């Protein structure tokens, strides 16, 4: 049975700005709120009523994809090519499996935005592209190893929208605005008032028409959806150029055009009924919902901007910390117990209500856990103080330690009396007894690494 939208979750390589975390743990499997990152888009799709999804990933991640009620088809990219493949390359790789319009979501998106708000915009305007964006969040004050260093800047976009706030007319990276912004006269002829918004972030959630995937399949010059395909589609909305290849009566692109750069308009199916209505109608001043369709703008891009809902992309160490802070307070985890039923805690009153404790974790007497996430199968002995920390799975923390504002990765060991503040401790590494570490990134063979 044909479906209106096929869902695709991109769970491949990435995390170039958080390599200290992803060197030992693939990005899709990073724990947020004691769930792997890839669980969040899958859960969002399941709650929205999707019955199946394609997950594009690697063999390393495949065996750890969480079990879901819906059907999950996993497609692994070639090991030798996966690190260099962008999102557009990945979509091209699975193009033969796409039979309808497609919803593409990155595995690092965690949001409370109602999915139907983006999809309804896509339906109502017969859009070529509908995307989700958010206002750039304030940078986190406490990021392990970065105190006193220049903070990484998010890739922020500058957009222009119509009076309704949803038609995406302009899109540019803020870094490119130093060289000025070229605006087409035809845009102002159709939209005399354009509302400009700065400091926007692409949430990497897109609804795309099937013909866009067909266009991608024949154009291997596109590698990234966010950096190349989306700006291309937005810029071509008001193109006056004739298409490179006329479509035939069935709306199909003629053969023989694969090896040259073809125009997106040659892939948009022709609507014979609309053409006949335009040809026979003597009334031209059409307004209302059909105004755009009637006036011949066949390529239309729309944007939904998240308001006050949780919407974050875990694409940096700062956003990883922020996500673990916000997710336990969100509606996404409202059905999940803060303390797993199998956890063994001696003094339960010393675990804060805003903390999470994973399965089979043991916490000794007089140990306090505040504003923190503790993973599964950890052993935390007595008289330990943990504040604003992320403790991953299988970690051992011996007695009388103090941990503050730090990330402790899988199977690390912190020996008795150690004092750690604003640090990242890599997987399987150890901190010696009574050792004090402040504002450090401790990775590899216990070497210190500056960001």
């Amino acid at each position: 049975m044909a479906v209106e939208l096929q869902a695709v979750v991109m769970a491949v390589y990435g995390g170039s700005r958080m390599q200290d975390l992803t060197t030992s743990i693939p990005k899709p499997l990073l724990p947020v709120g004691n769930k792997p990152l890839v669980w969040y888009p899958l859960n969002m799709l399941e709650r929205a009523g999707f019955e199946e999804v394609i997950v594009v990933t690697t063999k390393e991640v495949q065996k750890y994809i969480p079990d879901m009620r819906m059907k999950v088809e996993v497609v692994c990219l070639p090991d030798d090519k996966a690190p260099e493949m962008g999102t557009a390359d990945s979509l091209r790789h699975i193009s033969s499996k796409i039979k309808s319009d497609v919803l593409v979501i990155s595995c690092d998106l965690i949001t409370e935005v109602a999915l139907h708000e983006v999809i309804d915009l896509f339906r109502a305007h017969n859009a070529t592209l509908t995307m989700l964006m958010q206002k750039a969040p304030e940078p986190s004050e406490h990021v392990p190893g970065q105190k006193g260093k220049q903070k990484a800047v998010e890739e922020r976009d500058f957009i222009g929208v119509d009076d309704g706030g949803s038609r995406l007319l302009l899109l540019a990276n803020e870094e490119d605005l130093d060289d000025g912004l070229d605006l087409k006269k035809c845009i102002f002829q159709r939209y005399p008032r354009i509302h400009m918004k700065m400091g926007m972030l692409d949430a990497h959630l897109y609804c795309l028409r099937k013909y866009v995937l067909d266009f991608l399949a024949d154009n291997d010059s596109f590698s990234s959806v966010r950096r190349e395909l989306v700006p291309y589609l937005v810029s071509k909305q008001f193109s006056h150029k004739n298409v490179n290849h006329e479509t035939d009566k069935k709306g199909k692109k003629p053969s023989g055009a694969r090896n040259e750069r073809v125009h997106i308009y040659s892939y948009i199916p022709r609507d014979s009924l609309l053409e006949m209505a335009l040809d026979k109608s003597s009334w031209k001043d059409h307004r209302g919902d059909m105004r755009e369709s009637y006036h011949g703008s066949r390529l239309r891009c729309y944007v939904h901007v998240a308001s006050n809902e949780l919407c974050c992309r875990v694409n940096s160490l700062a956003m990883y910390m922020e996500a673990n802070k916000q997710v336990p307070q969100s509606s996404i985890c409202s059905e999940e117990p803060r303390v797993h039923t199998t956890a063994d805690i001696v003094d339960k009153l010393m675990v804060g209500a805003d903390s999470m404790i994973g399965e089979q974790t043991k916490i000794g007497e007089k140990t306090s856990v505040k504003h923190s996430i503790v993973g599964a199968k950890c052993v935390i002995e007595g008289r330990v103080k943990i504040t604003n920390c992320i403790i991953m799975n299988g970690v051992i923390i011996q007695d009388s330690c103090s941990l503050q504002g730090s990330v402790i990765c899988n199977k690390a060991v912190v020996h008795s009396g150690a004092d750690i503040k604003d640090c990242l401790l890599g997987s399987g590494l150890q901190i010696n007894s009574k050792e004090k570490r402040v504002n450090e990134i401790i990775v590899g063979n216990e070497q210190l690494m500056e960001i």
Side-chain angles (χ1 to χ4, degrees), residues 41-212:
L42 293 175
N43 176 64
M44 178 172 62
L45 290 168
E46 197 168 75
R47 290 193 301 172
F50 280 80
E51 296 181 354
E52 54 186 61
V53 61
I54 299 173
V55 177
V56 182
T57 188
T58 60
K59 292 179 181 178
E60 183 182 10
V61 175
Q62 179 186 16
K63 52 189 174 183
Y64 297 107
I65 297 293
D67 293 330
M68 309 297 292
R69 291 191 298 274
M70 63 180 173
K71 178 183 176 183
V72 178
E73 180 182 356
V74 179
V75 177
C76 293
L77 299 178
D79 290 338
D80 57 333
K81 297 179 180 179
E84 286 78 37
M85 292 177 72
T87 46
D89 297 319
S90 299
L91 282 175
R92 193 178 297 113
H93 183 75
I94 63 167
S95 59
S96 62
K97 295 181 178 292
I98 304 300
K99 308 300 181 185
S100 64
D101 300 335
V102 63
L103 171 64
V104 183
I105 309 176
S106 174
C107 75
D108 61 8
L109 174 63
I110 300 176
T111 182
E112 292 179 306
V113 173
L115 197 52
H116 72 82
E117 293 183 351
V118 181
I119 297 174
D120 286 350
L121 201 59
F122 185 65
R123 291 172 176 148
H125 300 282
N126 192 25
T128 301
L129 159 75
T130 302
M131 62 189 298
L132 175 64
M133 300 193 82
Q134 65 174 117
K135 191 71 178 175
E138 292 297 323
S140 177
E141 294 295 326
H142 303 287
V143 181
Q146 295 189 20
K147 188 175 181 180
K149 302 182 178 69
Q150 185 175 1
K151 294 179 180 178
V153 179
E154 298 278 352
E155 289 188 11
R156 301 187 179 192
D157 289 323
F158 170 93
I159 66 172
V161 295
D162 65 355
D163 283 335
S166 60
R167 180 69 192 266
L168 184 58
L169 306 173
L170 304 169
L171 175 66
N173 192 290
E174 286 189 2
E175 292 180 356
D176 299 333
L177 294 180
D178 293 338
D179 301 326
L181 183 65
D182 294 328
L183 300 177
K184 295 180 180 179
K185 183 179 178 181
C186 61
I187 299 178
F188 288 103
Q189 289 174 337
R190 295 192 186 189
Y191 298 92
R193 293 178 59 183
I194 299 178
H195 301 263
M196 305 298 188
K197 297 184 179 183
M198 299 189 70
M200 306 302 296
L201 293 182
D202 185 344
H204 286 215
L205 186 152
Y206 314 101
C207 289
L208 295 165
R209 291 292 170 192
K210 171 66 166 60
Y211 58 77
V212 177

